[in-house]
Protein backbone atom coordinates (compact mmCIF):
# COMPACT_ATOMS: atom_id res chain seq x y z
CA UNK A 1 0.00 0.00 0.00
CA UNK A 2 1.41 3.35 -1.03
CA UNK A 3 1.45 6.17 1.52
CA UNK A 4 0.46 9.55 0.06
CA UNK A 5 3.14 11.38 2.09
CA UNK A 6 6.00 9.16 0.83
CA UNK A 7 7.06 8.23 -2.69
CA UNK A 8 6.83 4.57 -3.62
CA UNK A 9 9.98 2.55 -4.23
CA UNK A 10 9.93 3.02 -8.00
CA UNK A 11 13.59 3.45 -8.82
CA UNK A 12 15.65 0.32 -9.15
CA UNK A 13 17.82 -0.54 -6.19
CA UNK A 14 21.42 -1.57 -6.64
CA UNK A 15 23.05 -3.88 -4.11
CA UNK A 16 26.81 -3.63 -4.24
CA UNK A 17 29.63 -4.96 -2.08
CA UNK A 18 30.90 -2.29 0.30
CA UNK A 19 34.48 -1.09 -0.13
CA UNK A 20 36.96 0.20 2.46
CA UNK A 21 36.19 3.73 1.27
CA UNK A 22 32.58 3.19 2.50
CA UNK A 23 33.65 2.55 6.12
CA UNK A 24 32.89 6.07 7.39
CA UNK A 25 29.43 6.09 5.78
CA UNK A 26 28.68 2.62 7.11
CA UNK A 27 29.81 3.67 10.60
CA UNK A 28 27.45 6.66 10.53
CA UNK A 29 24.57 4.43 9.45
CA UNK A 30 25.54 1.93 12.17
CA UNK A 31 25.42 4.76 14.75
CA UNK A 32 21.85 5.53 13.62
CA UNK A 33 20.96 1.84 13.95
CA UNK A 34 22.33 1.79 17.49
CA UNK A 35 20.35 4.93 18.40
CA UNK A 36 17.13 3.77 16.74
CA UNK A 37 17.02 0.46 18.54
CA UNK A 38 18.15 2.03 21.85
CA UNK A 39 21.11 -0.33 22.02
CA UNK A 40 23.48 0.09 24.98
CA UNK A 41 26.65 0.05 22.84
CA UNK A 42 29.57 2.11 24.15
CA UNK A 43 31.42 2.03 20.81
CA UNK A 44 32.72 5.39 19.61
CA UNK A 45 32.34 6.56 16.02
CA UNK A 46 36.02 5.70 15.49
CA UNK A 47 35.37 2.19 16.88
CA UNK A 48 32.45 1.72 14.50
CA UNK A 49 34.46 2.92 11.52
CA UNK A 50 37.40 0.65 12.36
CA UNK A 51 35.07 -2.32 12.74
CA UNK A 52 33.35 -1.61 9.42
CA UNK A 53 36.75 -1.33 7.75
CA UNK A 54 37.70 -4.76 9.20
CA UNK A 55 34.44 -6.32 8.07
CA UNK A 56 34.64 -4.87 4.57
CA UNK A 57 38.27 -5.95 4.20
CA UNK A 58 38.05 -9.31 5.95
CA UNK A 59 36.41 -12.63 5.33
CA UNK A 60 34.31 -12.97 8.51
CA UNK A 61 31.35 -10.94 7.20
CA UNK A 62 29.98 -9.72 3.90
CA UNK A 63 28.90 -6.08 3.79
CA UNK A 64 26.69 -4.54 1.12
CA UNK A 65 25.36 -1.07 0.43
CA UNK A 66 21.93 -0.73 -1.10
CA UNK A 67 21.62 2.31 -3.34
CA UNK A 68 18.81 4.08 -5.16
CA UNK A 69 19.72 6.53 -7.90
CA UNK A 70 23.36 6.33 -6.79
CA UNK A 71 22.59 7.29 -3.17
CA UNK A 72 23.09 4.84 -0.29
CA UNK A 73 19.74 4.13 1.38
CA UNK A 74 20.50 0.95 3.36
CA UNK A 75 23.22 -1.50 4.29
CA UNK A 76 23.53 -5.10 5.41
CA UNK A 77 26.15 -7.15 7.23
CA UNK A 78 25.92 -10.95 7.20
CA UNK A 79 27.89 -14.13 7.24
CA UNK A 80 27.36 -17.40 5.46
CA UNK A 81 28.24 -20.43 7.57
CA UNK A 82 27.25 -24.07 8.06
CA UNK A 83 23.92 -23.02 9.62
CA UNK A 84 22.96 -20.76 6.71
CA UNK A 85 22.92 -16.99 6.59
CA UNK A 86 23.18 -14.95 9.79
CA UNK A 87 22.24 -11.29 9.34
CA UNK A 88 24.15 -9.24 11.87
CA UNK A 89 22.90 -5.81 10.77
CA UNK A 90 20.32 -4.47 8.36
CA UNK A 91 19.51 -0.79 8.33
CA UNK A 92 17.44 1.56 6.16
CA UNK A 93 18.30 5.26 6.43
CA UNK A 94 15.80 7.23 8.47
CA UNK A 95 14.77 9.52 5.64
CA UNK A 96 14.09 6.57 3.32
CA UNK A 97 11.84 4.48 5.54
CA UNK A 98 8.25 3.58 4.73
CA UNK A 99 9.02 3.58 1.00
CA UNK A 100 9.37 -0.18 0.56
CA UNK A 101 13.16 0.03 0.27
CA UNK A 102 13.83 -2.30 3.18
CA UNK A 103 11.51 -4.97 1.81
CA UNK A 104 12.84 -4.71 -1.76
CA UNK A 105 16.48 -4.40 -0.67
CA UNK A 106 16.28 -7.38 1.67
CA UNK A 107 14.53 -9.44 -1.01
CA UNK A 108 17.45 -8.71 -3.36
CA UNK A 109 19.89 -9.98 -0.73
CA UNK A 110 17.83 -13.12 -0.08
CA UNK A 111 17.71 -13.87 -3.82
CA UNK A 112 21.52 -13.94 -3.81
CA UNK A 113 21.61 -16.35 -0.87
CA UNK A 114 19.71 -19.13 -2.63
CA UNK A 115 17.70 -21.50 -0.46
CA UNK A 116 19.83 -21.21 2.68
CA UNK A 117 17.99 -20.57 5.94
CA UNK A 118 18.27 -16.99 7.21
CA UNK A 119 18.45 -16.01 10.88
CA UNK A 120 18.90 -12.69 12.63
CA UNK A 121 18.58 -11.11 16.05
CA UNK A 122 16.30 -8.22 16.96
CA UNK A 123 16.13 -6.45 20.30
CA UNK A 124 12.84 -7.28 22.01
CA UNK A 125 11.97 -3.62 22.66
CA UNK A 126 12.59 -2.68 19.00
CA UNK A 127 8.92 -2.99 18.06
CA UNK A 128 9.30 -1.36 14.64
CA UNK A 129 12.17 -3.68 13.75
CA UNK A 130 10.28 -6.75 14.94
CA UNK A 131 7.20 -5.71 12.95
CA UNK A 132 9.37 -5.27 9.83
CA UNK A 133 10.97 -8.71 10.14
CA UNK A 134 7.68 -10.43 10.92
CA UNK A 135 6.06 -8.75 7.91
CA UNK A 136 8.80 -10.35 5.79
CA UNK A 137 7.86 -13.79 7.16
CA UNK A 138 10.38 -14.21 9.98
CA UNK A 139 9.08 -16.01 13.03
CA UNK A 140 10.31 -16.09 16.60
CA UNK A 141 13.09 -18.65 16.94
CA UNK A 142 14.90 -18.03 20.23
CA UNK A 143 15.15 -15.53 23.03
CA UNK A 144 18.48 -14.45 24.49
CA UNK A 145 18.34 -13.11 28.03
CA UNK A 146 20.68 -10.46 29.42
CA UNK A 147 21.68 -9.72 33.01
CA UNK A 148 22.64 -6.09 33.57
CA UNK A 149 25.80 -5.83 35.62
CA UNK A 150 27.48 -2.93 37.42
CA UNK A 151 29.70 -0.83 35.18
CA UNK A 152 33.32 0.07 35.76
CA UNK A 153 34.56 3.66 35.61
CA UNK A 154 35.22 3.26 31.87
CA UNK A 155 31.60 2.31 31.10
CA UNK A 156 32.35 -1.35 30.40
CA UNK A 157 30.36 -4.13 32.01
CA UNK A 158 32.12 -5.55 35.07
CA UNK A 159 31.68 -9.20 35.95
CA UNK A 160 31.48 -10.25 39.60
CA UNK A 161 34.92 -11.85 39.49
CA UNK A 162 36.39 -8.62 38.03
CA UNK A 163 34.85 -5.91 40.18
CA UNK A 164 38.06 -5.15 42.09
CA UNK A 165 40.40 -5.87 39.17
CA UNK A 166 41.33 -3.44 36.41
CA UNK A 167 39.84 -4.64 33.14
CA UNK A 168 41.68 -4.70 29.84
CA UNK A 169 39.95 -2.98 26.94
CA UNK A 170 38.63 -5.58 24.55
CA UNK A 171 37.44 -3.53 21.59
CA UNK A 172 34.07 -4.34 20.18
CA UNK A 173 34.21 -8.07 20.98
CA UNK A 174 32.57 -8.79 17.63
CA UNK A 175 33.61 -12.44 17.62
CA UNK A 176 32.10 -13.19 21.01
CA UNK A 177 28.92 -11.15 20.51
CA UNK A 178 27.87 -12.30 17.02
CA UNK A 179 24.52 -13.86 17.76
CA UNK A 180 23.62 -11.66 20.71
CA UNK A 181 23.87 -8.09 19.42
CA UNK A 182 23.10 -7.14 15.82
CA UNK A 183 24.02 -3.51 16.45
CA UNK A 184 27.49 -4.26 17.77
Amino acid sequence: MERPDRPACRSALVVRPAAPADARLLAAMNRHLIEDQRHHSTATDADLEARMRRWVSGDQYAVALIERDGLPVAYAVWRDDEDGIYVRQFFVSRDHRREGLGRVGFAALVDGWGDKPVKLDALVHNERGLAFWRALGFRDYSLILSLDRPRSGNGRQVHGRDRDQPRAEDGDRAGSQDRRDPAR
Side-chain angles (χ1 to χ4, degrees):
M1 181 165 126
E2 204 173 300
R3 287 182 38 169
D5 60 329
R6 293 291 202 157
C9 178
R10 297 189 201 289
S11 300
L13 295 181
V14 174
V15 178
R16 69 166 177 85
D22 298 316
R24 181 169 286 165
L25 168 66
L26 290 163
M29 294 172 89
N30 190 190
R31 172 62 63 205
H32 289 164
L33 172 64
I34 290 166
E35 293 168 358
D36 290 353
Q37 60 186 10
R38 298 183 326 268
H39 190 279
H40 61 266
S41 174
T42 59
T44 66
D45 291 345
D47 293 337
L48 296 176
E49 184 175 345
R51 181 177 62 189
M52 285 297 182
R53 195 170 307 284
R54 279 194 319 274
W55 286 351
V56 167
S57 301
D59 60 2
Q60 182 181 11
Y61 288 100
V63 184
L65 273 170
I66 300 168
E67 298 176 335
R68 180 175 65 181
D69 299 327
L71 297 173
V73 296
Y75 80 94
V77 177
W78 72 93
R79 72 169 179 246
D80 186 345
D81 61 28
E82 68 275 357
D83 296 326
I85 303 297
Y86 170 71
V87 179
R88 179 160 177 158
Q89 298 177 359
F90 183 78
F91 176 77
V92 176
S93 294
R94 293 169 177 164
D95 54 344
H96 293 287
R97 292 182 184 158
R98 309 295 303 163
E99 298 175 17
L101 298 173
R103 179 180 38 79
V104 173
F106 195 76
L109 291 167
V110 169
D111 286 347
W113 296 333
D115 61 355
K116 295 178 180 180
V118 179
K119 293 182 181 155
L120 55 85
D121 296 324
L123 296 177
V124 295
H125 62 267
N126 183 0
E127 294 175 8
R128 286 177 51 193
L130 288 168
F132 171 77
W133 294 117
R134 288 177 177 144
L136 292 183
F138 283 84
R139 59 182 171 70
D140 294 356
Y141 175 74
S142 69
L143 177 65
I144 296 171
L145 303 176
S146 175
L147 175 64
D148 290 335
R149 305 291 295 180
R151 294 190 177 270
S152 68
N154 66 5
R156 299 264 185 212
Q157 292 286 335
V158 177
H159 301 281
R161 68 184 182 278
D162 298 330
R163 281 197 186 119
D164 297 323
Q165 305 287 324
R167 190 171 158 106
E169 292 300 316
D170 56 1
D172 66 14
R173 298 174 304 228
S176 65
Q177 297 279 329
D178 286 351
R179 296 198 182 259
R180 290 186 277 175
D181 271 329
R184 290 192 60 113

